[in-house]
Amino acid sequence: SQTIHQWPATLVQPVGSPLSLECTVEGTSNPNLYWYRQAAGRGLQLLFYSVGIGQISSEVPQNLSASRPQDRQFILSSKKLLLSDSGFYLCAWSEAYRRPQHFGDGTRLSIL
Amino acid sequence: AQTVTQSQPEMSVQEAETVTLSCTYDTSENNYYLFWYKQPPSRQMILVIRQEAYKQQNATENRFSVNFQKAAKSFSLKISDSQLGDTAMYFCALNSGGGADGLTFGKGTHLIIQP
């Protein structure tokens, strides 16, 4: 069966520091991969999605970036974190276009 | 642009009762997919049910069923025989494709099942 791993579960970072969140999927090949952010009291907002290695689409302009160095690895990064980057970040995967998306356990990011 | 609206920020019902969560959406696409996700206090997002817009029959998954009204752009979730474990945030989501493959989420409904 397919599983998705996301880490770390919790992260506290100072303003201006770099960020790297990692997500990996097991049990499937060539999945579609997604990064979402959930601000407090709100629904999820799509940040990035990828349909293959090196293919990244950005949905929201921001100081975050994403990369897909391997088929089942998706990384969310920032060179300098802002206070507004605080939130709950979720990685998700799907088998193909418009198939149901399955989520990881999320990373709670706090910026001080 | 597509939007999803959940007008009930919070609902509370007694265990074993039936509850209906509302969701309306807007999209210019004719072929799209709708989902309900559950987010318990653990924060994990769990797929509850999905509906394909071209299918007229309402989807059902055990105690969960939807009332899909395409003309009205309405997609409500009914939970029958509610259980304490159903307590969670429930999010309605839309995937209408186009250039992107992400989900557009509503702001969620916090459902509380009382013992």
Side-chain angles (χ1 to χ4, degrees):
Chain A
S1 63
Q2 301 90 356
T3 56
I4 179 169
H5 303 281
Q6 190 179 340
W7 68 92
T10 304
L11 190 60
V12 180
Q13 292 284 93
V15 170
S17 64
L19 173 73
S20 180
L21 302 181
E22 190 163 342
C23 171
T24 59
V25 180
E26 297 177 357
T28 187
S29 59
N30 197 31
N32 286 359
L33 297 171
Y34 313 85
W35 279 110
Y36 289 88
R37 177 169 60 200
Q38 184 177 27
R42 295 190 173 186
L44 278 67
Q45 180 185 38
L46 178 66
L47 300 176
F48 302 94
Y49 72 96
S50 172
V51 299
I53 296 175
Q55 300 179 59
I56 308 294
S57 296
S58 174
E59 292 299 302
V60 181
Q62 59 216 317
N63 71 319
L64 298 171
S65 62
S67 62
R68 186 170 176 173
Q70 299 181 42
D71 181 44
R72 291 168 289 173
Q73 183 185 29
F74 205 24
I75 298 172
L76 183 69
S77 304
S78 174
K79 292 181 179 179
K80 287 186 177 181
L81 285 167
L82 307 173
L83 283 173
S84 58
D85 291 324
S86 292
F88 189 61
Y89 289 81
L90 286 150
C91 181
W93 73 275
S94 68
E95 293 176 337
Y97 184 63
R98 292 198 182 183
R99 296 296 295 167
Q101 295 180 18
H102 307 279
F103 289 80
D105 290 339
T107 295
R108 184 182 302 276
L109 175 63
S110 299
I111 310 299
L112 303 179
Chain B
Q2 52 200 34
T3 60
V4 176
T5 302
Q6 293 178 250
S7 58
Q8 305 153 312
E10 185 170 290
M11 296 185 69
S12 180
V13 299
Q14 296 294 121
E15 191 176 8
E17 290 184 345
T18 294
V19 60
T20 299
L21 309 183
S22 301
C23 172
T24 58
Y25 60 92
D26 190 26
T27 178
S28 57
E29 299 290 328
N30 192 48
N31 186 22
Y32 50 88
Y33 295 73
L34 292 159
F35 305 86
W36 279 98
Y37 280 88
K38 169 185 177 181
Q39 188 179 41
S42 64
R43 304 296 297 273
Q44 186 181 16
M45 292 290 286
I46 303 166
L47 177 65
V48 175
I49 200 166
R50 71 185 292 241
Q51 175 78 42
E52 296 161 6
Y54 64 86
K55 289 187 177 180
Q56 293 186 345
Q57 186 174 5
N58 289 324
T60 62
E61 287 288 342
N62 301 314
R63 298 183 293 109
F64 299 87
S65 61
V66 299
N67 183 4
F68 174 48
Q69 301 290 326
K70 189 172 184 178
K73 295 185 177 178
S74 171
F75 182 60
S76 61
L77 174 70
K78 186 173 81 171
I79 306 174
S80 303
D81 186 27
S82 58
Q83 301 173 0
L84 296 178
D86 295 333
T87 293
M89 286 290 293
Y90 286 81
F91 292 96
C92 179
L94 166 69
N95 185 331
S96 61
D101 187 34
L103 295 169
T104 299
F105 283 84
K107 291 186 177 181
T109 296
H110 184 205
L111 176 63
I112 301 169
I113 308 300
Q114 303 278 7

